[in-house]
Every structure is written in C-alpha cells, then in structure tokens.
Amino acid sequence: PAQVVVVPLDIGSDSSVIAARNTVARRTKSIDLVINNAGIFSPLSDRGIRDEPDYEDMVRLFNVNTLGALRVTEAFLPLLQPGEMKRLCYVSSEAGSIARSQRGAWFGYCMSKAALNRGVAYLFDRLRLEGYSFRLFHPGWMKTYMSGERNDRAELDPDDVAIAALDYFLSPQDEDRLVMRDWQGKAWPL
C-alpha cells in the first residue's frame, strides 16, 4: 500500500495529462506498463442516422475514448523508454470491431473505439520495432457506471474482468502480432 500513489488525470485534457506525467516523473525515471482504461459512453448513443445524431457529443466521445489514449501514450513514452516491459495496454470494445460489432446506432461510441483500435495498430506498427509490446482488451459487458449509473443488467462483474485483464496485460504473448482479446482470452478482429 505504501507504494500506491494516486495521480489525478483527465485524459480529455492535454494539461491534465502533462501534469500527471510530470507528477510521475518526479517519483521515478522509468515505468514498465501503461494501462489506458478510461472510456465514456453517451446517453444519446441510441440515436440512429434519422434521429438527429448529436455530433458535439460524438466529438466528446472521440476526445476521451480515442484521443485520450493517444495523449497518455505520447506523454508517458519518455518514461516507458527506459522501462523493462515497455508495455502499452488499451481497453477497447467489440463495439470498435468493424468485422464483429452488431450495434444499430451508437455512432460516437463505436466509431471512437474503432478509431482507438486503428490508432493502436498504427502505434504497434511504429513502436514494436523499438521494443514496445502491446495489449488490446475487450472487457465485455460489465456492471459499471459508464453511463452514469450502475448497469446491473450487464453480464460481468468488473472485479472478475480486472483479474482477466491483468493476466493478459502481464503475461507473455506473441509480441509481433497485435490481437484484441476478451476476458475469456478469445481473439477478436480489430
């Protein structure tokens, strides 16, 4: 417990990400692993193309779900570079899988997660050659507060999924192949 330090971080804010990185950099010269877990949802997600989609709300989703992970990655790369694992982990969703997502609307959420997946693939293509390793994780439908209140209709308990996620994030994999895996270890197409 004495080694855990809580660092405030709003991944939707450039200045907050930089402040968090600076706080960490004052405590250590290297880190081994970054887990990009932040994500938001919108109560407007059910709007279809004929229901006046709210583009401002979609931009808000992209700012956090996609660009937030990129902000954190960019900011923490200098601390990861001397680390032993050099591991970048991203929590995505099957909603971002172009081949497998079954949503009828959810434009902002699905598109933001698809863009996250593509961004991670882009980072993988460039940073893998420098020794970085990557994990892309689909946690499943969890009982979380992502929509503002606890979703008890969901299937999975977050504590159980966290155990599966940490196992995936920390276990050796085929590091030369980017795969999105779910809480059961099954591979999903990006």
Side-chain angles (χ1 to χ4, degrees):
Q3 293 180 332
V4 174
V5 177
V6 176
V7 177
L9 173 60
D10 172 1
I11 70 168
S13 163
D14 295 345
S15 60
S16 178
V17 171
I18 297 302
R21 189 264 328 270
N22 292 343
T23 298
V24 173
R26 284 192 293 274
R27 297 187 65 87
T28 184
K29 298 298 177 209
S30 71
I31 57 175
D32 291 329
L33 172 87
V34 170
I35 300 172
N36 285 284
N37 184 48
I40 59 172
F41 183 73
S42 171
L44 306 175
S45 289
D46 287 334
R47 289 185 181 181
I49 194 65
R50 290 187 170 91
D51 300 322
E52 298 182 30
D54 187 323
Y55 294 104
E56 192 172 309
D57 190 58
M58 288 185 207
V59 168
R60 184 179 67 86
L61 292 174
F62 268 87
N63 185 47
V64 172
N65 294 351
T66 308
L67 299 176
L70 189 61
R71 273 185 199 96
V72 169
T73 300
E74 176 195 14
F76 282 87
L77 275 179
L79 293 172
L80 278 165
Q81 185 63 37
E84 291 181 28
M85 291 178 78
K86 292 185 185 178
R87 182 146 312 145
L88 290 158
C89 305
Y90 301 86
V91 177
S92 185
S93 170
E94 59 76 31
S97 171
I98 293 173
R100 298 267 307 269
S101 181
Q102 301 293 314
R103 304 295 190 333
W106 290 33
F107 290 105
Y109 185 77
C110 293
M111 291 169 64
S112 70
K113 289 299 187 174
L116 171 65
N117 293 352
R118 180 59 192 112
V120 172
Y122 184 79
L123 291 168
F124 175 85
D125 290 344
R126 270 105 192 124
L127 296 175
R128 178 66 197 125
L129 300 173
E130 297 177 28
Y132 287 86
S133 58
F134 290 78
R135 300 291 184 272
L136 192 56
F137 185 70
H138 161 43
W141 191 29
M142 294 190 303
K143 296 176 181 177
T144 66
Y145 293 86
M146 195 164 80
S147 61
E149 56 187 50
R150 183 176 162 91
N151 182 0
D152 286 319
R153 295 171 301 152
E155 305 168 332
L156 303 168
D157 183 82
D159 292 342
D160 296 333
V161 175
I163 292 167
L166 279 174
D167 182 55
Y168 177 49
F169 295 160
L170 297 173
S171 297
Q173 304 286 317
D174 177 356
E175 302 300 350
D176 292 321
R177 203 175 78 129
L178 180 62
V179 177
M180 180 166 62
R181 296 205 179 275
D182 67 16
W183 70 101
Q184 297 172 314
K186 296 177 187 169
W188 286 71
L190 302 182

PDB file of all heavy atoms in Angstrom, residues 141-160:
ATOM      1  N   TRP A 141     -19.430  -6.945 -21.461  1.00  0.00           N
ATOM      2  CA  TRP A 141     -20.498  -6.096 -20.938  1.00  0.00           C
ATOM      3  C   TRP A 141     -20.476  -6.158 -19.422  1.00  0.00           C
ATOM      4  O   TRP A 141     -20.904  -7.135 -18.804  1.00  0.00           O
ATOM      5  CB  TRP A 141     -21.833  -6.562 -21.497  1.00  0.00           C
ATOM      6  CG  TRP A 141     -22.975  -5.634 -21.252  1.00  0.00           C
ATOM      7  CD1 TRP A 141     -22.935  -4.274 -21.108  1.00  0.00           C
ATOM      8  CD2 TRP A 141     -24.347  -5.998 -21.140  1.00  0.00           C
ATOM      9  NE1 TRP A 141     -24.183  -3.771 -20.914  1.00  0.00           N
ATOM     10  CE2 TRP A 141     -25.083  -4.811 -20.929  1.00  0.00           C
ATOM     11  CE3 TRP A 141     -25.028  -7.210 -21.201  1.00  0.00           C
ATOM     12  CZ2 TRP A 141     -26.458  -4.817 -20.767  1.00  0.00           C
ATOM     13  CZ3 TRP A 141     -26.395  -7.204 -21.053  1.00  0.00           C
ATOM     14  CH2 TRP A 141     -27.102  -6.020 -20.837  1.00  0.00           C
ATOM     15  N   MET A 142     -19.948  -5.116 -18.798  1.00  0.00           N
ATOM     16  CA  MET A 142     -19.720  -5.134 -17.357  1.00  0.00           C
ATOM     17  C   MET A 142     -20.705  -4.276 -16.588  1.00  0.00           C
ATOM     18  O   MET A 142     -21.263  -3.318 -17.115  1.00  0.00           O
ATOM     19  CB  MET A 142     -18.303  -4.633 -17.054  1.00  0.00           C
ATOM     20  CG  MET A 142     -17.218  -5.543 -17.557  1.00  0.00           C
ATOM     21  SD  MET A 142     -15.608  -5.047 -16.919  1.00  0.00           S
ATOM     22  CE  MET A 142     -15.486  -3.372 -17.452  1.00  0.00           C
ATOM     23  N   LYS A 143     -20.843  -4.613 -15.332  1.00  0.00           N
ATOM     24  CA  LYS A 143     -21.697  -3.865 -14.398  1.00  0.00           C
ATOM     25  C   LYS A 143     -20.914  -2.644 -13.906  1.00  0.00           C
ATOM     26  O   LYS A 143     -20.386  -2.628 -12.806  1.00  0.00           O
ATOM     27  CB  LYS A 143     -22.104  -4.761 -13.231  1.00  0.00           C
ATOM     28  CG  LYS A 143     -22.945  -5.931 -13.664  1.00  0.00           C
ATOM     29  CD  LYS A 143     -23.265  -6.862 -12.516  1.00  0.00           C
ATOM     30  CE  LYS A 143     -24.094  -8.030 -13.045  1.00  0.00           C
ATOM     31  NZ  LYS A 143     -24.383  -9.013 -12.019  1.00  0.00           N
ATOM     32  N   THR A 144     -20.849  -1.626 -14.767  1.00  0.00           N
ATOM     33  CA  THR A 144     -20.090  -0.424 -14.436  1.00  0.00           C
ATOM     34  C   THR A 144     -21.016   0.781 -14.384  1.00  0.00           C
ATOM     35  O   THR A 144     -22.213   0.681 -14.642  1.00  0.00           O
ATOM     36  CB  THR A 144     -18.997  -0.152 -15.486  1.00  0.00           C
ATOM     37  OG1 THR A 144     -19.628   0.174 -16.728  1.00  0.00           O
ATOM     38  CG2 THR A 144     -18.080  -1.350 -15.658  1.00  0.00           C
ATOM     39  N   TYR A 145     -20.423   1.927 -14.120  1.00  0.00           N
ATOM     40  CA  TYR A 145     -21.131   3.203 -14.062  1.00  0.00           C
ATOM     41  C   TYR A 145     -20.850   4.041 -15.304  1.00  0.00           C
ATOM     42  O   TYR A 145     -20.993   5.256 -15.272  1.00  0.00           O
ATOM     43  CB  TYR A 145     -20.694   3.973 -12.806  1.00  0.00           C
ATOM     44  CG  TYR A 145     -21.131   3.317 -11.525  1.00  0.00           C
ATOM     45  CD1 TYR A 145     -20.361   2.321 -10.938  1.00  0.00           C
ATOM     46  CD2 TYR A 145     -22.317   3.683 -10.911  1.00  0.00           C
ATOM     47  CE1 TYR A 145     -20.759   1.718  -9.762  1.00  0.00           C
ATOM     48  CE2 TYR A 145     -22.725   3.084  -9.726  1.00  0.00           C
ATOM     49  CZ  TYR A 145     -21.944   2.105  -9.158  1.00  0.00           C
ATOM     50  OH  TYR A 145     -22.336   1.494  -7.997  1.00  0.00           O
ATOM     51  N   MET A 146     -20.452   3.402 -16.398  1.00  0.00           N
ATOM     52  CA  MET A 146     -20.049   4.147 -17.588  1.00  0.00           C
ATOM     53  C   MET A 146     -21.157   5.051 -18.124  1.00  0.00           C
ATOM     54  O   MET A 146     -20.890   6.093 -18.693  1.00  0.00           O
ATOM     55  CB  MET A 146     -19.572   3.178 -18.683  1.00  0.00           C
ATOM     56  CG  MET A 146     -18.820   3.877 -19.769  1.00  0.00           C
ATOM     57  SD  MET A 146     -17.866   2.779 -20.813  1.00  0.00           S
ATOM     58  CE  MET A 146     -19.117   2.155 -21.883  1.00  0.00           C
ATOM     59  N   SER A 147     -22.388   4.676 -17.935  1.00  0.00           N
ATOM     60  CA  SER A 147     -23.492   5.507 -18.436  1.00  0.00           C
ATOM     61  C   SER A 147     -24.027   6.453 -17.352  1.00  0.00           C
ATOM     62  O   SER A 147     -25.054   7.087 -17.539  1.00  0.00           O
ATOM     63  CB  SER A 147     -24.624   4.620 -18.957  1.00  0.00           C
ATOM     64  OG  SER A 147     -25.135   3.813 -17.921  1.00  0.00           O
ATOM     65  N   GLY A 148     -23.333   6.531 -16.217  1.00  0.00           N
ATOM     66  CA  GLY A 148     -23.748   7.439 -15.155  1.00  0.00           C
ATOM     67  C   GLY A 148     -24.348   6.735 -13.951  1.00  0.00           C
ATOM     68  O   GLY A 148     -24.317   7.251 -12.848  1.00  0.00           O
ATOM     69  N   GLU A 149     -24.923   5.565 -14.160  1.00  0.00           N
ATOM     70  CA  GLU A 149     -25.438   4.763 -13.041  1.00  0.00           C
ATOM     71  C   GLU A 149     -25.054   3.312 -13.284  1.00  0.00           C
ATOM     72  O   GLU A 149     -24.789   2.905 -14.414  1.00  0.00           O
ATOM     73  CB  GLU A 149     -26.955   4.914 -12.906  1.00  0.00           C
ATOM     74  CG  GLU A 149     -27.727   4.575 -14.158  1.00  0.00           C
ATOM     75  CD  GLU A 149     -29.200   4.916 -14.020  1.00  0.00           C
ATOM     76  OE1 GLU A 149     -29.512   6.055 -13.620  1.00  0.00           O
ATOM     77  OE2 GLU A 149     -30.018   4.032 -14.346  1.00  0.00           O
ATOM     78  N   ARG A 150     -24.989   2.540 -12.226  1.00  0.00           N
ATOM     79  CA  ARG A 150     -24.551   1.146 -12.332  1.00  0.00           C
ATOM     80  C   ARG A 150     -25.499   0.358 -13.234  1.00  0.00           C
ATOM     81  O   ARG A 150     -26.711   0.385 -13.054  1.00  0.00           O
ATOM     82  CB  ARG A 150     -24.481   0.502 -10.955  1.00  0.00           C
ATOM     83  CG  ARG A 150     -23.953  -0.923 -10.997  1.00  0.00           C
ATOM     84  CD  ARG A 150     -23.818  -1.457  -9.579  1.00  0.00           C
ATOM     85  NE  ARG A 150     -23.719  -2.892  -9.551  1.00  0.00           N
ATOM     86  CZ  ARG A 150     -22.570  -3.568  -9.591  1.00  0.00           C
ATOM     87  NH1 ARG A 150     -21.437  -2.915  -9.662  1.00  0.00           N
ATOM     88  NH2 ARG A 150     -22.561  -4.875  -9.550  1.00  0.00           N
ATOM     89  N   ASN A 151     -24.922  -0.356 -14.172  1.00  0.00           N
ATOM     90  CA  ASN A 151     -25.690  -1.169 -15.105  1.00  0.00           C
ATOM     91  C   ASN A 151     -25.767  -2.604 -14.562  1.00  0.00           C
ATOM     92  O   ASN A 151     -24.908  -3.428 -14.863  1.00  0.00           O
ATOM     93  CB  ASN A 151     -25.047  -1.151 -16.491  1.00  0.00           C
ATOM     94  CG  ASN A 151     -25.832  -1.948 -17.495  1.00  0.00           C
ATOM     95  OD1 ASN A 151     -26.867  -2.530 -17.183  1.00  0.00           O
ATOM     96  ND2 ASN A 151     -25.346  -1.992 -18.721  1.00  0.00           N
ATOM     97  N   ASP A 152     -26.784  -2.890 -13.782  1.00  0.00           N
ATOM     98  CA  ASP A 152     -26.924  -4.225 -13.201  1.00  0.00           C
ATOM     99  C   ASP A 152     -27.475  -5.250 -14.190  1.00  0.00           C
ATOM    100  O   ASP A 152     -27.513  -6.432 -13.886  1.00  0.00           O
ATOM    101  CB  ASP A 152     -27.812  -4.167 -11.955  1.00  0.00           C
ATOM    102  CG  ASP A 152     -27.079  -3.540 -10.780  1.00  0.00           C
ATOM    103  OD1 ASP A 152     -25.885  -3.850 -10.593  1.00  0.00           O
ATOM    104  OD2 ASP A 152     -27.693  -2.730 -10.060  1.00  0.00           O
ATOM    105  N   ARG A 153     -27.887  -4.805 -15.372  1.00  0.00           N
ATOM    106  CA  ARG A 153     -28.345  -5.752 -16.402  1.00  0.00           C
ATOM    107  C   ARG A 153     -27.176  -6.434 -17.097  1.00  0.00           C
ATOM    108  O   ARG A 153     -27.337  -7.442 -17.753  1.00  0.00           O
ATOM    109  CB  ARG A 153     -29.203  -5.034 -17.449  1.00  0.00           C
ATOM    110  CG  ARG A 153     -30.508  -4.490 -16.891  1.00  0.00           C
ATOM    111  CD  ARG A 153     -31.198  -3.603 -17.903  1.00  0.00           C
ATOM    112  NE  ARG A 153     -30.263  -2.529 -18.207  1.00  0.00           N
ATOM    113  CZ  ARG A 153     -30.185  -1.849 -19.340  1.00  0.00           C
ATOM    114  NH1 ARG A 153     -31.015  -2.083 -20.292  1.00  0.00           N
ATOM    115  NH2 ARG A 153     -29.295  -0.906 -19.521  1.00  0.00           N
ATOM    116  N   ALA A 154     -25.988  -5.861 -16.971  1.00  0.00           N
ATOM    117  CA  ALA A 154     -24.802  -6.402 -17.632  1.00  0.00           C
ATOM    118  C   ALA A 154     -24.463  -7.781 -17.085  1.00  0.00           C
ATOM    119  O   ALA A 154     -24.932  -8.194 -16.022  1.00  0.00           O
ATOM    120  CB  ALA A 154     -23.634  -5.453 -17.450  1.00  0.00           C
ATOM    121  N   GLU A 155     -23.609  -8.471 -17.815  1.00  0.00           N
ATOM    122  CA  GLU A 155     -23.286  -9.869 -17.508  1.00  0.00           C
ATOM    123  C   GLU A 155     -22.123 -10.044 -16.534  1.00  0.00           C
ATOM    124  O   GLU A 155     -22.090 -11.009 -15.785  1.00  0.00           O
ATOM    125  CB  GLU A 155     -22.887 -10.593 -18.810  1.00  0.00           C
ATOM    126  CG  GLU A 155     -23.894 -10.510 -19.904  1.00  0.00           C
ATOM    127  CD  GLU A 155     -23.340 -10.977 -21.247  1.00  0.00           C
ATOM    128  OE1 GLU A 155     -22.106 -10.862 -21.471  1.00  0.00           O
ATOM    129  OE2 GLU A 155     -24.138 -11.441 -22.061  1.00  0.00           O
ATOM    130  N   LEU A 156     -21.153  -9.144 -16.566  1.00  0.00           N
ATOM    131  CA  LEU A 156     -19.875  -9.412 -15.917  1.00  0.00           C
ATOM    132  C   LEU A 156     -19.584  -8.464 -14.760  1.00  0.00           C
ATOM    133  O   LEU A 156     -19.847  -7.268 -14.840  1.00  0.00           O
ATOM    134  CB  LEU A 156     -18.757  -9.298 -16.950  1.00  0.00           C
ATOM    135  CG  LEU A 156     -18.901 -10.218 -18.167  1.00  0.00           C
ATOM    136  CD1 LEU A 156     -17.924  -9.813 -19.253  1.00  0.00           C
ATOM    137  CD2 LEU A 156     -18.701 -11.662 -17.761  1.00  0.00           C
ATOM    138  N   ASP A 157     -18.989  -9.017 -13.716  1.00  0.00           N
ATOM    139  CA  ASP A 157     -18.556  -8.232 -12.574  1.00  0.00           C
ATOM    140  C   ASP A 157     -17.187  -7.628 -12.891  1.00  0.00           C
ATOM    141  O   ASP A 157     -16.279  -8.338 -13.317  1.00  0.00           O
ATOM    142  CB  ASP A 157     -18.462  -9.127 -11.341  1.00  0.00           C
ATOM    143  CG  ASP A 157     -18.094  -8.343 -10.123  1.00  0.00           C
ATOM    144  OD1 ASP A 157     -19.007  -7.741  -9.527  1.00  0.00           O
ATOM    145  OD2 ASP A 157     -16.898  -8.308  -9.775  1.00  0.00           O
ATOM    146  N   PRO A 158     -17.022  -6.318 -12.704  1.00  0.00           N
ATOM    147  CA  PRO A 158     -15.744  -5.682 -13.033  1.00  0.00           C
ATOM    148  C   PRO A 158     -14.537  -6.296 -12.328  1.00  0.00           C
ATOM    149  O   PRO A 158     -13.449  -6.345 -12.905  1.00  0.00           O
ATOM    150  CB  PRO A 158     -15.945  -4.227 -12.600  1.00  0.00           C
ATOM    151  CG  PRO A 158     -17.413  -4.017 -12.637  1.00  0.00           C
ATOM    152  CD  PRO A 158     -18.021  -5.342 -12.258  1.00  0.00           C
ATOM    153  N   ASP A 159     -14.696  -6.776 -11.094  1.00  0.00           N
ATOM    154  CA  ASP A 159     -13.572  -7.368 -10.383  1.00  0.00           C
ATOM    155  C   ASP A 159     -13.063  -8.625 -11.093  1.00  0.00           C
ATOM    156  O   ASP A 159     -11.855  -8.847 -11.189  1.00  0.00           O
ATOM    157  CB  ASP A 159     -13.953  -7.715  -8.939  1.00  0.00           C
ATOM    158  CG  ASP A 159     -14.195  -6.475  -8.091  1.00  0.00           C
ATOM    159  OD1 ASP A 159     -13.751  -5.371  -8.497  1.00  0.00           O
ATOM    160  OD2 ASP A 159     -14.842  -6.596  -7.045  1.00  0.00           O
ATOM    161  N   ASP A 160     -13.986  -9.453 -11.594  1.00  0.00           N
ATOM    162  CA  ASP A 160     -13.594 -10.664 -12.318  1.00  0.00           C
ATOM    163  C   ASP A 160     -12.896 -10.321 -13.628  1.00  0.00           C
ATOM    164  O   ASP A 160     -11.904 -10.947 -14.010  1.00  0.00           O
ATOM    165  CB  ASP A 160     -14.817 -11.548 -12.591  1.00  0.00           C
ATOM    166  CG  ASP A 160     -15.447 -12.067 -11.318  1.00  0.00           C
ATOM    167  OD1 ASP A 160     -14.732 -12.207 -10.299  1.00  0.00           O
ATOM    168  OD2 ASP A 160     -16.665 -12.325 -11.326  1.00  0.00           O
TER     169      ASP A 160
END
